[in-house]
């Protein structure tokens, strides 16, 4: 089964998405997600200029070989642009293999290890009443696990707090701001560290001990600050504390780990298995936050989870709205098949996005299921996609009170 075409489709229904569509000589097509939020067109060029010409004529069944060929022949390994491009090829080939076999991808990965994937949604509020309403709203939508992000007194913009939706149909607490320059936000870690434990105390008092609660520190703390937060949150029994320190200094996690039993999740900006190697082996984390899209696709996601299984480290794949429905479906198939599934992040895509990408996955009673259509179970309506041209969009950035740039 030869690859005869590979097309890169850029569309911006509710936000930008980059999708690779591979076609074989027997007429099968497969989709892969290559969306890199804020740097989308770099991956488009990487694919169109450097990868697509190498795909034509290759055997579409050889997924592992194609992955290794694209990774090793580039010489310049890793990095988000390269790995998003390889991810798109990998997912599209799994999609094709599933269609050729007449099976959903999770069947090819060993079959279902569970009935569905527990998903968490993003509740947020500037004040406690607003936050409580947001948590209740998520519970009404069926979510059984909730990420809690909150305003901090004295700060105007906080990571994870919904910007006012302009379209009215954008369920998107995502911070991606459209426009030609990153929006500047303010930050004060000491104010944050004082405030957050009071919020979790209030949430536990209101919603009781059972509801799994998560929190994202978004790379903003030093190791000792992260240790302090983990310790002060212990009474509130978090499911996890995510990205408590900037991910590139992995040694920081050793210090954090010595001081707190709050479970730690990290890795949404990691690209390869090697980024997790010592964190898993030294048991410094509890959840792998990789996303299929930024991690080279289904093939390496499966590998890192098999490695993690030896250390009782579980999955918590990154599922923001900047991972397209194709990328989300890809990691749902992995999550259903592996034994060491933990939780799946699930932010609902906007209505326009759902018209461009027709999906077979379901979300019922808090559980996701990728569906049983052959392949990944996602189709792309090219005419619909063509209605939404690319829009320049940058993520925001932070400055401290004295003007210093800080991690966002
Ligand atoms: O800010 O995906 O846990 N989720 C996150 C995300 C990231 C965005 C960046 O593109 O941290 O909301
Ligand atoms: Co995060």
């Amino acid at each position: 089964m030869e690859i005869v075409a590979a097309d890169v489709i850029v569309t911006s229904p509710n936000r930008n998405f980059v999708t690779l569509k591979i076609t074989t000589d027997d007429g099968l097509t497969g989709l892969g997600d290559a969306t890199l939020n804020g740097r989308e067109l770099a991956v488009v060029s990487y694919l169109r200029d450097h990868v697509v010409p190498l795909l034509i004529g290759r055997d579409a069944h050889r997924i592992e070989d194609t992955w290794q060929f694209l990774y090793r022949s580039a010489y310049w390994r890793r990095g988000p642009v390269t790995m998003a491009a390889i991810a798109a090829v990998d997912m599209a080939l799994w999609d094709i293999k599933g269609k050729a076999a007449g099976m959903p991808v999770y069947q090819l990965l060993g079959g279902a290890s569970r009935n569905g994937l527990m998903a968490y949604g993003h509740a947020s509020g500037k004040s406690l009443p607003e936050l409580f309403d947001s948590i209740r709203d998520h519970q009404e939508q069926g979510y059984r696990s909730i990420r809690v992000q909150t305003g901090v007194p004295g700060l105007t913009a906080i990571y994870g707090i919904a910007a006012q939706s302009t379209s009215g149909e954008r369920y998107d607490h995502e911070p991606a701001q459209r426009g030609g320059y990153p929006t500047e936000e303010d930050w004060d870690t000491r104010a944050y560290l004082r405030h957050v434990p009071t919020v979790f105390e209030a949430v536990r008092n209101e919603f009781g001990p059972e509801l799994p609660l998560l929190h994202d520190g978004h790379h903003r703390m030093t190791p000792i600050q992260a240790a302090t937060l983990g310790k002060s949150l212990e009474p509130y029994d978090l499911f996890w504390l995510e990205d408590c320190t900037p991910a590139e200094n992995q040694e920081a996690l050793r210090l954090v780990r010595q001081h707190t039993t709050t479970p730690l999740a990290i890795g949404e900006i990691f690209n390869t298995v090697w980024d997790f190697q010592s964190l898993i082996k030294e048991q410094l984390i509890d959840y792998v936050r990789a996303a299929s899209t930024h991690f080279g696709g289904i093939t390496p996601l499966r590998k890192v989870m098999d490695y993690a299984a030896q250390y009782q480290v579980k999955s918590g794949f990154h599922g923001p709205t900047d991972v397209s429905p194709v990328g989300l479906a890809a990691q749902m198939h992995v999550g259903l098949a592996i034994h060491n599934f933990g939780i799946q992040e699930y932010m609902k895509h906007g209505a326009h996005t759902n018209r461009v990408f027709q999906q077979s996955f379901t979300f019922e009673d808090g559980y996701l299921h990728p569906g049983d259509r052959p392949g990944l179970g996602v189709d792309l309506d090219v005419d619909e996609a063509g209605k939404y041209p690319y829009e320049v969009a940058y993520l925001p950035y932070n400055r401290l009170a004295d003007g210093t740039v800080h991690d966002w």
Side-chain angles (χ1 to χ4, degrees):
M1 188 168 55
E2 255 183 40
I3 297 173
V4 293
D7 301 296
V8 183
I9 298 150
V10 182
T11 182
S12 191
N14 292 90
R15 67 185 318 140
N16 292 316
F17 293 110
V18 177
T19 311
L20 180 71
K21 181 180 180 182
I22 293 181
T23 307
T24 66
D25 55 359
D26 46 12
L28 291 178
T29 59
L31 297 178
D33 180 23
T35 307
L36 185 60
N37 198 4
R39 296 294 185 273
E40 295 89 352
L41 299 185
V43 191
V44 172
S45 164
Y46 193 106
L47 281 168
R48 278 191 185 141
D49 298 334
H50 303 290
V51 173
V52 167
L54 307 180
L55 294 177
I56 309 303
R58 290 186 67 83
D59 180 356
H61 271 309
R62 297 182 64 175
I63 299 176
E64 178 73 27
D65 182 70
T66 301
W67 195 98
Q68 299 294 345
F69 167 66
L70 292 176
Y71 185 79
R72 290 170 201 278
S73 71
Y75 187 67
W76 309 107
R77 295 174 187 209
R78 322 210 295 188
V81 176
T82 297
M83 300 314 289
I86 296 177
V89 176
D90 183 83
M91 284 180 214
L93 294 182
W94 277 104
D95 195 17
I96 287 169
K97 196 182 282 296
K99 288 175 184 173
M103 288 184 196
V105 168
Y106 75 82
Q107 293 290 11
L108 307 180
L109 297 173
S113 283
R114 57 194 51 76
N115 302 325
L117 310 175
M118 184 170 74
Y120 75 89
H122 291 196
S124 66
K126 290 198 173 75
S127 62
L128 282 179
E130 218 177 284
L131 174 62
F132 289 180
D133 284 349
S134 175
I135 294 173
R136 278 189 204 101
D137 177 55
H138 280 78
Q139 288 181 310
E140 278 158 27
Q141 292 175 50
Y143 285 104
R144 291 163 183 242
S145 307
I146 310 273
R147 188 184 86 165
V148 169
Q149 303 298 132
T150 166
V152 174
L155 296 180
T156 48
I158 308 286
Y159 164 77
I161 303 286
Q164 208 49 47
S165 164
T166 44
S167 67
E169 53 168 37
R170 191 172 173 201
Y171 170 84
D172 201 344
H173 296 264
E174 272 297 297
Q177 304 283 331
R178 293 178 178 223
Y181 200 82
T183 311
E184 183 180 310
E185 298 187 346
D186 54 354
W187 185 247
D188 177 346
T189 309
R190 291 186 66 235
Y192 164 79
L193 291 178
R194 281 194 303 274
H195 187 63
V196 171
T198 68
V199 170
F200 275 91
E201 183 184 19
V203 170
R204 275 291 174 226
N205 286 340
E206 181 73 12
F207 293 91
E210 275 182 40
L211 181 66
L213 298 175
L214 303 84
H215 181 68
D216 191 345
H218 229 246
H219 328 274
R220 294 177 181 193
M221 288 165 271
T222 64
I224 205 68
Q225 288 170 336
T228 302
L229 181 65
K231 216 168 163 177
S232 60
L233 292 177
E234 278 170 23
Y236 315 115
D237 186 28
L238 263 61
F239 187 95
W240 78 36
L241 172 61
E242 172 187 345
D243 285 338
C244 60
T245 52
E248 53 269 49
N249 176 19
Q250 303 196 349
E251 287 173 32
L253 275 299
R254 288 199 195 113
L255 190 144
V256 179
R257 205 61 158 173
Q258 280 165 14
H259 291 283
T260 180
T261 55
T262 294
L264 302 176
I266 210 159
E268 69 181 43
I269 66 167
F270 289 179
N271 315 132
T272 69
V273 174
W274 295 282
D275 297 323
F276 282 105
Q277 197 174 37
S278 56
L279 295 182
I280 291 173
K281 194 167 61 188
E282 292 183 41
Q283 305 188 87
L284 300 180
I285 58 170
D286 301 280
Y287 295 94
V288 166
R289 284 286 288 152
S292 54
T293 307
H294 306 122
F295 200 70
I298 289 171
T299 299
L301 204 57
R302 176 67 202 243
K303 289 179 185 179
V304 76
M305 291 318 303
D306 285 347
Y307 175 57
Q310 300 174 62
Y311 301 92
Q312 294 171 282
V313 173
K314 295 185 177 184
S315 68
F317 300 146
H318 190 209
T321 50
D322 46 291
V323 168
S324 88
V326 178
L328 192 63
Q331 57 199 31
M332 278 188 222
H333 285 277
V334 176
L336 200 67
I338 57 175
H339 179 247
N340 52 334
F341 170 81
I343 200 166
Q344 173 64 52
E345 183 179 26
Y346 177 46
M347 294 178 73
K348 294 178 177 170
H349 285 108
H352 295 297
T353 300
N354 292 334
R355 279 199 288 277
V356 171
F357 297 93
Q358 286 105 37
Q359 303 147 41
S360 68
F361 68 77
T362 52
F363 178 59
E364 277 162 23
D365 288 333
Y367 288 86
L368 288 161
H369 191 286
D372 280 302
R373 269 174 32 200
L376 294 174
V378 183
D379 289 323
L380 189 149
D381 182 331
V382 177
D383 294 334
E384 193 66 24
K387 293 182 188 168
Y388 306 104
Y390 168 79
E391 289 183 39
V392 64
Y394 286 97
L395 286 157
Y397 78 112
N398 270 330
R399 283 190 194 276
L400 306 179
D402 72 354
T404 307
V405 172
H406 192 72
D407 297 287
W408 179 78

